[in-house]
């Protein structure tokens, strides 16, 4: 009948070179749309969400609720990132770090990326509205709007304080997860929010140091581009210390020594790495900023694993 080979399920497969090429094209487009959502960033956001839900519940919350928040939160973060790619398509093509993204490489058209992001946003907010509560839903909608309309379109392009004020949306998943469980926000929720908020400065300043020339080429006023090394060093140390201080504030808000000991040890290593980066800068040595960047990711991940374990024990 002219059909290709048949799989065990009885579906025809086109084994011709043209058919294989079409398959590769489809797979490539799917990968491009997935990459618009920036899955690695989504993963990091979810690392903070679930432990916050567990602490809010005083143990393991409803698995159904966890699944809803994970799906809704992933779609919301993916929507915000896809819309970010749409808005930033002009500067992404100027930066070596981003020029291979789907829009600069024309794998996905701008209109398609815009529609994709808006659909993801609508679906995510709908899921949160139907299955959680009004506070979690408003926080989800607000995080998407703030990231794209306030941070991406305005702050990122106009002020070196963009990382500071942009930290609000990166910290929002903690509040969203907490609100989904309790319908309110307690001091412990705000303390965890503060940990993630302050953490973002040394984390992203390290990345901006690494890609300083890229940001300068795109006229993005990241702090390492427009400020002196002394100013950057001071802010890295300030916000690293504030991150650790906020993590210790969480301890007396219902946490056990398991969390406390973890926060102290992790915080000490985090501060040591931040001071090492600043020391290398002051001595005029190679900075190696990605050491702090990668360690800060490990720090946040392990700290929130400790939050989850503490909630279970």
């Amino acid at each position: 009948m002219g059909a290709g080979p048949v799989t065990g399920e009885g579906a025809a497969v086109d084994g011709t070179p043209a058919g294989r090429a079409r398959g590769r094209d489809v797979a490539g487009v799917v990968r491009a749309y997935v990459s618009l959502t920036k899955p690695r960033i989504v993963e990091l956001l979810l690392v903070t969400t679930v432990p916050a839900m567990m602490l809010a519940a005083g143990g393991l919350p409803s698995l159904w609720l966890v699944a809803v928040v994970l799906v809704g939160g992933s779609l919301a973060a993916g929507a915000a990132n896809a819309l970010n790619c749409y808005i930033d398509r002009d500067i992404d093509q100027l930066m070596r770090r981003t020029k291979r993204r789907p829009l600069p490489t024309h794998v996905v058209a701008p209109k398609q990326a815009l529609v994709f992001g808006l659909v993801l946003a609508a679906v995510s907010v709908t899921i949160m509205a139907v299955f959680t509560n009004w506070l979690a839903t408003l926080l989800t909608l607000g995080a998407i709007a703030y990231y794209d309309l306030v941070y991406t379109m305005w702050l990122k392009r106009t002020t070196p304080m963009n990382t500071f004020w942009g930290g609000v949306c990166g910290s929002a998943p903690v509040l969203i997860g907490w609100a989904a469980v309790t319908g309110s926000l307690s001091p412990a929720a705000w303390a965890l929010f503060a940990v993630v908020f302050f953490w973002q400065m040394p984390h992203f300043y390290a990345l901006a140091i690494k890609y300083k020339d890229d940001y300068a080429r795109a006229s993005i006023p990241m702090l390492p581009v427009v400020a002196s090394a002394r100013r950057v060093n001071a802010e890295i140390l300030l916000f690293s210390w504030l991150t650790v201080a906020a993590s210790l504030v969480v301890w007396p808000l219902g946490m056990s020594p398991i969390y406390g000991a973890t926060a102290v040890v992790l915080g000490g290593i985090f501060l040591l790495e931040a001071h090492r980066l600043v020391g290398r800068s002051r001595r005029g040595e190679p900075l190696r900023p990605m050491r702090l960047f990668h360690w800060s990711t490990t720090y946040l991940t392990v700290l929130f694993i400790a939050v989850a374990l503490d909630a279970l024990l």
Side-chain angles (χ1 to χ4, degrees):
M1 302 294 292
V6 178
T7 68
E9 290 77 19
V13 175
D14 186 350
T16 65
R20 289 193 295 272
R22 284 194 297 272
R24 287 194 297 270
D25 290 344
V26 171
V29 171
V30 170
R31 285 194 298 271
Y33 276 97
V34 171
S35 71
L36 284 175
T37 67
K38 303 179 184 176
R40 290 183 179 178
I41 295 178
V42 174
E43 289 173 9
L44 188 60
L45 295 177
L46 298 182
V47 161
T48 63
T49 304
V50 176
M53 295 180 70
M54 295 173 68
L55 186 59
L60 192 63
S62 161
L63 294 180
W64 166 252
L65 182 61
V66 172
V68 165
V69 174
L70 285 178
V71 172
S74 296
L75 292 175
N81 289 328
L83 293 171
N84 168 269
C85 288
Y86 169 77
I87 297 167
D88 275 354
R89 64 191 186 278
D90 59 330
I91 60 177
D92 279 351
Q93 63 186 350
L94 302 176
M95 300 172 60
R96 285 192 297 270
R97 186 173 67 89
T98 58
K99 67 181 181 180
R100 293 186 180 180
R101 286 177 177 173
L103 291 178
T105 56
H106 307 293
V107 177
V108 176
K111 183 179 179 180
Q112 294 170 333
L114 175 62
V115 171
F116 179 63
L118 292 175
V119 169
L120 288 184
V123 172
S124 68
V125 173
T126 300
I127 289 173
M128 298 298 288
V130 172
F131 297 110
T132 63
N133 54 63
W134 68 268
L135 180 56
T137 302
L138 287 179
L139 288 169
T140 301
L141 178 60
I144 297 171
Y146 188 95
Y147 182 68
D148 289 312
L149 300 180
V150 178
Y151 171 73
T152 303
M153 293 185 70
W154 175 35
L155 296 173
K156 182 177 180 179
R157 297 167 182 252
T158 59
T159 172
M161 294 293 290
N162 51 23
T163 304
F164 179 85
W165 294 112
V168 172
C169 39
S171 312
V174 171
L175 302 182
I176 293 169
W178 195 285
V181 173
T182 67
S184 62
L185 297 173
S186 73
W190 287 108
L192 289 175
F193 173 90
V195 173
V196 184
F197 179 81
F198 292 132
W199 167 88
Q200 289 178 90
M201 266 59 76
H203 179 73
F204 285 109
Y205 287 163
L207 186 70
I209 291 171
K210 168 70 174 178
Y211 294 103
K212 178 179 178 179
D213 292 342
D214 258 4
Y215 286 114
R217 188 179 301 109
S219 299
I220 300 299
M222 300 298 286
L223 190 69
V225 174
V226 299
S228 65
R230 182 177 180 179
R231 165 78 181 278
V232 176
N233 291 339
E235 293 210 13
I236 287 175
L237 293 183
L238 171 64
F239 289 113
S240 295
W241 278 95
L242 286 174
T243 300
V244 175
S247 74
L248 296 179
V249 168
V250 177
W251 189 356
L253 299 177
M255 309 300 286
S256 78
I258 294 175
Y259 168 84
T262 304
V264 169
V265 172
L266 284 174
I269 300 173
F270 184 39
L271 291 175
L272 178 62
E273 196 58 54
H275 278 271
R276 280 176 173 170
L277 173 61
V278 171
R280 288 191 292 268
S281 173
R282 289 171 177 170
R283 293 188 298 270
E285 299 172 357
L287 296 182
R288 294 184 288 176
M290 298 306 285
R291 283 187 50 149
L292 177 60
F293 177 83
H294 292 304
W295 168 248
S296 63
T297 301
T298 302
Y299 166 84
L300 195 70
T301 301
V302 177
L303 184 71
F304 273 82
I305 289 174
V307 171
L309 291 175
D310 202 294
L312 289 175
L313 299 176

